[in-house]
Amino acid sequence: MKILKKSLLIFKINMRRCITDKRIIALILYQVMVAYTVAKPFGNFCSKVGFRTSPYIYPFFTCEFQGIIQVLTGAIILFMDAPFINNLTYNQMIRSGRKSWFIGQIFYIITASIIYIFNYILFFYLFLFNKTTFTKDWGKVIRTLSEVVRNFRIISVDKRIVNNFTTGEAMFFSISLSVIQCILIAMIIFYISLYFRDNKMGVLASIAYVFSSLYVARMGIEMDNRFVPSTWMILTSYDRTGLSSKPPLSMPYIFLLGAIAILIILSYIKIKRKEIDTYPEIN
């Protein structure tokens, strides 16, 4: 219990620091801008046809390479200061212990990732507030767009998602995979920065991870993307019937969570063995 209390204290310190960070304010403004550019065409279409849309836009957003890059680039901005070492770290580790300090950082990464992704859901809804109706079904607007319009300005309303997923399933899988991707990016920055004692190396590694999706985009959406993890939020890449050569939906969860677990273990070993200092590169 003592370790948990100390870890939660470290977590609270990180959250308070995060709230007042100008970088986080800029990130929220970035999310607002992205959400507006995605939601506006839906609002315009609703006005023209006279129907309200259901609020389940996010699964289509993360099935576009542009959306993937926007979400994951924001995650890099969110965690670019990992492993969160500053001039107070020495005292925090001495008072709480390295284990509690490290667990507190993991709590922060998970919570920040969840809040970051749900911000998109919130902003999509706010920009479509007077044109949205809650329903368990996809609704007339999204079904019409999936049948008639392949590329709806910003994002495509993919018919395969509408036909193969319920709204709850699509939202759950797209949100959970997005959160897991954000946590993975945070741990890439965390471990690489610790290993090289240089925060810039961690950020560069995460950028390389995110923009590897451009390779798949260039080769085409039908390319087998199972070897490009940054694209694993695309729900149409998976087979739910067992009748095709596409991988099952369990694949990204197994491999991404496995990669996160490995990075957490390696990072903890590094923290446990390393001398406590506040080298300038991570200040």
Side-chain angles (χ1 to χ4, degrees):
M1 285 299 294
K2 287 184 178 180
I3 291 178
L4 180 60
K5 287 181 179 179
K6 291 177 180 179
S7 299
L8 289 175
L9 179 60
I10 296 297
F11 162 74
K12 289 178 182 178
I13 291 173
N14 276 6
M15 291 301 295
R16 284 199 298 265
R17 176 182 56 81
C18 177
I19 292 171
T20 59
D21 193 329
K22 293 180 180 179
R23 174 173 48 84
I24 303 303
I25 296 172
L27 175 60
I28 293 173
L29 293 176
Y30 165 79
Q31 287 188 280
V32 169
M33 179 186 69
V34 170
Y36 176 76
T37 58
V38 172
K40 185 179 178 180
F42 280 89
N44 292 341
F45 186 82
C46 290
S47 298
K48 289 179 180 179
V49 299
F51 289 103
R52 290 173 176 261
T53 181
S54 58
Y56 313 115
I57 296 175
Y58 190 78
F60 305 104
F61 175 55
T62 55
C63 278
E64 292 284 319
F65 289 106
Q66 180 177 337
I68 291 172
I69 291 174
Q70 287 171 334
V71 170
L72 299 186
T73 298
I76 294 175
I77 296 171
L78 177 60
F79 296 117
M80 66 189 307
D81 59 338
F84 318 114
I85 294 177
N86 54 46
N87 56 356
L88 299 177
T89 301
Y90 179 84
N91 289 331
Q92 289 175 354
M93 283 190 178
I94 292 297
R95 293 178 180 181
S96 65
R98 298 187 185 211
K99 186 174 183 179
S100 297
W101 180 88
F102 182 74
I103 294 173
Q105 307 306 324
I106 301 302
F107 284 167
Y108 166 72
I109 287 172
I110 294 171
T111 304
S113 296
I114 294 171
I115 293 173
Y116 168 66
I117 295 303
F118 273 92
N119 276 350
Y120 278 112
I121 312 297
L122 174 63
F123 294 144
F124 285 150
Y125 174 72
L126 291 177
F127 284 123
L128 292 170
F129 179 75
N130 61 342
K131 295 181 175 65
T132 303
T133 181
F134 282 96
T135 173
K136 293 181 180 180
D137 188 51
W138 288 107
K140 291 182 179 179
V141 170
I142 288 181
R143 285 195 177 277
T144 299
L145 290 172
S146 70
E147 293 287 348
V148 178
V149 185
R150 176 59 186 164
N151 192 344
F152 188 52
R153 292 194 182 180
I154 302 300
I155 61 175
S156 296
V157 180
D158 199 308
K159 184 178 180 180
R160 290 171 293 180
I161 295 177
V162 175
N163 290 342
N164 296 329
F165 295 87
T166 66
T167 55
E169 289 172 340
M171 290 294 287
F172 171 78
F173 290 128
S174 59
I175 290 172
S176 59
L177 286 173
S178 297
V179 170
I180 291 171
Q181 289 277 10
C182 291
I183 295 171
L184 178 58
I185 285 172
M187 292 313 305
I188 289 172
I189 299 174
F190 197 107
Y191 176 70
I192 298 296
S193 297
L194 279 176
Y195 185 85
F196 289 99
R197 298 175 59 86
D198 187 348
N199 180 256
K200 297 183 186 67
M201 296 300 295
V203 172
L204 287 174
S206 65
I207 290 173
Y209 173 81
V210 169
F211 284 89
S212 64
S213 62
L214 289 177
Y215 174 72
V216 180
R218 185 174 181 181
M219 296 298 293
I221 187 66
E222 299 304 329
M223 171 195 164
D224 188 349
N225 65 329
R226 71 184 70 194
F227 300 112
V228 188
S230 59
T231 65
W232 288 358
M233 292 187 287
I234 301 176
L235 295 184
T236 55
S237 300
Y238 306 107
D239 176 35
R240 304 195 70 198
T241 64
L243 301 176
S244 73
S245 60
K246 291 183 178 181
L249 194 48
S250 59
M251 183 201 73
Y253 290 95
I254 293 171
F255 283 94
L256 293 177
L257 290 173
I260 289 170
I262 291 170
L263 288 171
I264 287 175
I265 293 170
L266 292 176
S267 297
Y268 179 67
I269 292 173
K270 207 74 176 172
I271 285 290
K272 192 174 181 180
R273 293 179 178 177
K274 215 166 187 57
E275 292 183 6
I276 304 174
D277 55 15
T278 56
Y279 38 94
E281 291 86 354
I282 301 189
N283 278 342

